[in-house]
């Protein structure tokens, strides 16, 4: 497999893609992540992964570029990265004791070829006290994460259960991406 460009600054995605290959470099797009009107919450991360990957691929047409984006969806609305401590608190309060969906969109681009997909997982949180939320906010962990929690960190203490790919909740559905990538590349060589 040729060298891959990962169009993501996420350290978690960089760690996870190493399960597929060590031969990659990170080039982050500076594309504005604005959603078009009428897009569903489930479609949003697929759309965003595609605009990120296409932006980087435009400057590297001979390389495989992978873009990804993850959203937390609760009651039909997207919970993005919190703007501040109060926003993070409100997000975690709204997730307390409930199920939510985590969708990661992935896009693979090589030249004029593109393949996008979305992977979903359902996450259930334990009921959370205000003290638990405040203590978690004090760690600093939730402020750069969709839904204001990181399942790979102390946010795991809130998770009662997961239906779906754990790594998808971390931000990269590694197993599915590997299969999609292999299929994508086999089409190129046929």
């Amino acid at each position: 497999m040729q060298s891959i460009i990962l169009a993501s600054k996420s350290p978690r995605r960089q760690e996870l893609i190493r399960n597929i290959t060590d031969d990659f470099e990170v080039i982050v797009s500076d594309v504005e992540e604005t959603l078009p009107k009428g897009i569903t919450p489930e479609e949003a991360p697929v759309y965003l992964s595609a605009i990120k990957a296409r932006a980087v691929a435009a400057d590297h047409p001979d390389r495989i570029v992978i873009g990804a984006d993850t959203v937390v969806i609760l009651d039909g609305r997207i919970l993005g990265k919190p703007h501040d401590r109060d926003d993070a608190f409100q997000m975690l309060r709204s997730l307390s004791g409930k199920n939510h969906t985590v969708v990661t969109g992935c896009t693979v681009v090589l030249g004029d070829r593109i393949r996008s997909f979305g992977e979903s997982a359902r996450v259930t949180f334990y009921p959370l006290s205000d003290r638990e939320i405040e203590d978690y906010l004090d760690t600093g962990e939730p402020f750069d994460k969709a839904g204001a929690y990181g399942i790979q960190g102390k946010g795991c203490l809130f998770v009662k259960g997961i239906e779906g790919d754990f790594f998808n909740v971390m931000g990269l559905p590694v197993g599915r991406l590997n299969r999609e990538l292999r299929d994508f590349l086999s089409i190129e060589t046929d």
Side-chain angles (χ1 to χ4, degrees):
M1 181 185 313
Q2 61 188 11
S3 175
I4 290 174
I5 295 173
L6 179 63
S8 174
K9 65 182 174 189
S10 164
R12 289 160 300 286
R13 289 193 186 108
Q14 293 168 36
E15 174 188 333
L16 291 173
I17 201 163
R18 285 187 174 89
N19 291 302
I20 298 172
T21 182
D22 286 321
D23 190 10
F24 73 95
E25 70 175 299
V26 174
I27 300 176
V28 180
S29 76
D30 59 358
V31 68
E32 186 164 331
E33 297 183 28
T34 305
L35 295 172
K37 289 192 185 311
I39 195 166
T40 68
E42 293 78 13
E43 295 168 330
V46 177
Y47 173 83
L48 292 172
S49 74
I51 63 171
K52 292 178 200 179
R54 284 183 172 144
V56 172
D59 294 330
H60 304 277
D62 299 332
R63 305 269 308 275
I64 300 166
V65 178
I66 297 173
D69 193 82
T70 302
V71 297
V72 171
I73 303 169
L74 177 67
D75 299 329
R77 66 185 175 94
I78 294 173
L79 301 181
K81 295 176 184 175
H83 302 294
D84 55 28
R85 186 179 179 98
D86 184 58
D87 193 28
F89 182 92
Q90 294 306 321
M91 283 185 194
L92 292 167
R93 167 68 32 238
S94 69
L95 293 169
S96 174
K98 295 182 183 169
N99 297 316
H100 61 276
T101 303
V102 178
V103 180
T104 298
C106 293
T107 298
V108 180
V109 179
L110 177 59
D112 61 354
R113 296 179 46 240
I114 185 167
R115 175 176 295 189
S116 294
F117 67 90
E119 184 71 22
S120 297
R122 185 177 168 100
V123 180
T124 304
F125 265 28
Y126 287 106
L128 306 176
S129 70
D130 287 356
R131 177 77 277 161
E132 285 178 290
I133 294 172
E134 291 291 349
D135 288 348
Y136 182 55
L137 296 176
D138 288 344
T139 70
E141 186 178 282
F143 298 107
D144 66 340
K145 294 170 182 63
Y149 77 95
I151 196 167
Q152 70 283 358
K154 294 201 179 290
C156 72
L157 300 175
F158 302 157
V159 177
K160 184 175 184 179
I162 301 172
E163 294 174 41
D165 183 347
F166 172 82
F167 297 109
N168 182 61
V169 182
M170 278 182 66
L172 198 67
V174 180
R176 173 128 185 233
L177 176 59
N178 184 55
R179 282 167 170 65
E180 294 281 349
L181 190 56
R182 283 191 331 220
D183 186 54
F184 181 82
L185 295 175
S186 72
I187 293 169
E188 175 191 27
T189 59
D190 289 346

